[in-house]
Amino acid sequence: MTHPVDVHVGKRIRHRRWLIGMTQQQLAEQVGIKFQQIQKYETGANRVSASRLWDIAEALDIPVSFFFEGISDSQLSDGVDAPSDLMGDKEALDLVRSYYSIPENQRRRLFELARVLSDVA
């Protein structure tokens, strides 16, 4: 049975990898393991050792603490993910990546349009 912390850490690995446009294969090569192991980490099927988590953090250019952000005691007790679960959706991550590639002035206008559309719905 998977532990909620392992699942959370795995999701955070996947989120960061997707956000920077890195494949499982690329991450695996940088860390020195097979991509299937990255798959198992990302699903929470396998636990990530402290030293491996350190290597993954370096490959993803983030602090190790990133993997534990957003987890709370209530999530540990009932296994429910916080709203950050939205970032588990590849489409949502692609949208965020695309949004930040737009020049800032256009991005603000797009944001206001989205806000107006959401108020109408």
Side-chain angles (χ1 to χ4, degrees), residues 2 12 18 38 45-46 48 60 66 68 71 74-77 85 97 119 121:
T2 60
R12 298 289 287 173
W18 278 351
I38 297 295
N46 284 10
V48 186
L60 296 175
F66 170 85
F68 302 98
I71 197 161
S74 63
Q75 286 178 270
L76 294 177
S77 62
D85 192 44
R97 189 180 306 127
D119 289 342

Side-chain angles (χ1 to χ4, degrees), residues 14-22 26 59-61 97:
R14 183 178 63 234
H15 296 167
R16 176 63 181 174
R17 183 179 57 74
W18 278 351
L19 198 57
I20 64 173
M22 183 182 285
Q26 290 168 327
L60 296 175
D61 195 29
R97 189 180 306 127

Side-chain angles (χ1 to χ4, degrees), residues 17 20 26-27 37 39 49 52-53 55-57 61-62 65-66 70-71 74 81-83 90 99 105 110-111 115 119:
R17 183 179 57 74
I20 64 173
Q26 290 168 327
L27 178 56
Q37 188 62 41
Q39 288 176 326
S49 70
R52 180 77 72 217
L53 196 59
D55 293 340
I56 291 171
D61 195 29
I62 49 171
S65 61
F66 170 85
I71 197 161
S74 63
D81 261 340
K90 183 165 180 10
Y99 176 80
N105 61 339
L110 179 61
F111 178 78
R115 179 172 277 165
D119 289 342

Side-chain angles (χ1 to χ4, degrees), residues 2-109:
T2 60
H3 191 281
V5 172
D6 297 325
V7 173
H8 181 82
V9 168
K11 284 181 180 183
R12 298 289 287 173
I13 292 170
R14 183 178 63 234
H15 296 167
R16 176 63 181 174
R17 183 179 57 74
W18 278 351
L19 198 57
I20 64 173
M22 183 182 285
T23 66
Q24 288 178 336
Q25 182 64 41
Q26 290 168 327
L27 178 56
E29 287 172 2
Q30 285 192 28
V31 175
I33 58 176
K34 301 214 179 277
F35 81 93
Q36 291 93 338
Q37 188 62 41
I38 297 295
Q39 288 176 326
K40 292 176 184 178
Y41 290 154
E42 290 183 356
T43 62
N46 284 10
R47 291 183 171 176
V48 186
S49 70
S51 58
R52 180 77 72 217
L53 196 59
W54 183 271
D55 293 340
I56 291 171
E58 284 190 341
L60 296 175
D61 195 29
I62 49 171
V64 173
S65 61
F66 170 85
F67 301 115
F68 302 98
E69 291 173 2
I71 197 161
S72 66
D73 289 339
S74 63
Q75 286 178 270
L76 294 177
S77 62
D78 60 16
V80 176
D81 261 340
S84 67
D85 192 44
L86 172 66
M87 297 308 287
D89 180 21
K90 183 165 180 10
E91 184 178 11
L93 286 171
D94 286 343
L95 181 62
V96 169
R97 189 180 306 127
S98 297
Y99 176 80
Y100 281 106
S101 69
I102 298 171
E104 187 177 349
N105 61 339
Q106 293 174 350
R107 197 169 56 225
R108 269 189 259 121
R109 292 172 58 199

